[in-house]
Amino acid sequence: MRRKLAAILAADVVDFTRMMGEDELGTLADVKRIFGQLAEPSIRARSGRIFKTMGDGLLAIFDSAVEAVAAAHEIQQELAGEPALALRIGIHAGDVLIDADDIFGDSVNIAARLQALAKPREIVVSHDVCRAVRRKLPVHFESRGTPVLKNVAESFEVFVLTAQAERAPAAVPAP
């Protein structure tokens, strides 16, 4: 086993259980398509990799919080055209344990807890991720306060990511 600093992205499909009850084959096909044709290429393009899938969810690791947030933002933007499927995404950066192809540690657990706080189509990040990403991407963050995360001893502020509004061009002074 070895340790490293990493950004962990946790994502899951909103209302997966209900959708499976209504249409198992269609839902499974949609989730596989979204993960395989949208999420995985976006993650790979940002030098990340999916290290675990579990039905309606996935966990990915990145060397950079900026790249993790950029991939998540791209995935959510592309999914906006998919009204039937929505993801909730959580991202945390910290120390992880790598054991062969699997990843463990508090950072993985915290990313999963942040994902559970997200509303459909949202990306919720830890304070550490927010600090690393600020001013590096065309997004901004709104505080969600300091929630109690299940089975996580430390408390910290969490943020929801929103697209940054286009800035109006500066007025040109009259000659």
Side-chain angles (χ1 to χ4, degrees), residues 29 36 57 64 123 134 139 148 162:
S64 160
I123 302 165
R134 268 199 181 121
V139 298
V148 174
T162 59

Side-chain angles (χ1 to χ4, degrees), residues 83-148:
L85 278 178
L87 291 181
R88 297 179 305 179
I89 298 176
I91 303 172
H92 180 64
D95 201 61
V96 295
L97 282 168
I98 299 175
D99 183 22
D101 289 333
D102 212 350
I103 314 231
F104 301 92
D106 286 342
S107 294
V108 176
N109 299 331
I110 290 170
R113 298 299 184 223
L114 293 174
Q115 170 264 300
L117 292 177
K119 295 176 184 168
R121 304 189 189 281
E122 278 189 342
I123 302 165
V124 174
V125 303
S126 65
H127 179 264
D128 293 337
V129 170
C130 180
R131 213 176 74 223
V133 172
R134 268 199 181 121
R135 293 181 292 284
K136 293 182 178 90
L137 293 173
V139 298
H140 75 275
F141 300 92
E142 294 173 8
S143 176
R144 281 272 172 88
T146 308
V148 174

Side-chain angles (χ1 to χ4, degrees), residues 17-90:
T17 302
R18 178 192 52 77
M19 293 186 321
M20 285 293 283
E22 293 171 359
D23 179 9
E24 283 181 335
L25 294 177
T27 299
L28 186 57
D30 285 344
V31 170
K32 282 186 168 193
R33 178 178 53 80
I34 294 302
F35 284 0
Q37 295 175 10
L38 194 150
E40 186 174 6
S42 292
I43 290 166
R44 243 182 307 123
R46 303 288 187 186
S47 300
R49 77 174 172 88
I50 295 173
F51 66 90
K52 191 175 287 187
T53 59
M54 44 279 168
D56 68 331
L58 64 82
L59 293 168
I61 186 169
F62 296 81
D63 290 334
S64 160
V66 172
E67 296 297 343
V69 171
H73 190 247
E74 180 178 285
I75 291 165
Q76 292 292 44
Q77 285 183 318
E78 290 188 35
L79 264 178
E82 297 273 346
L85 278 178
L87 291 181
R88 297 179 305 179
I89 298 176

Side-chain angles (χ1 to χ4, degrees), residues 150-173:
K150 180 180 175 186
N151 295 326
V152 175
E154 65 181 296
S155 62
F156 48 84
E157 191 171 14
V158 302
F159 298 84
V160 64
L161 178 137
T162 59
Q164 193 168 30
E166 294 283 329
R167 289 188 177 157
V172 178

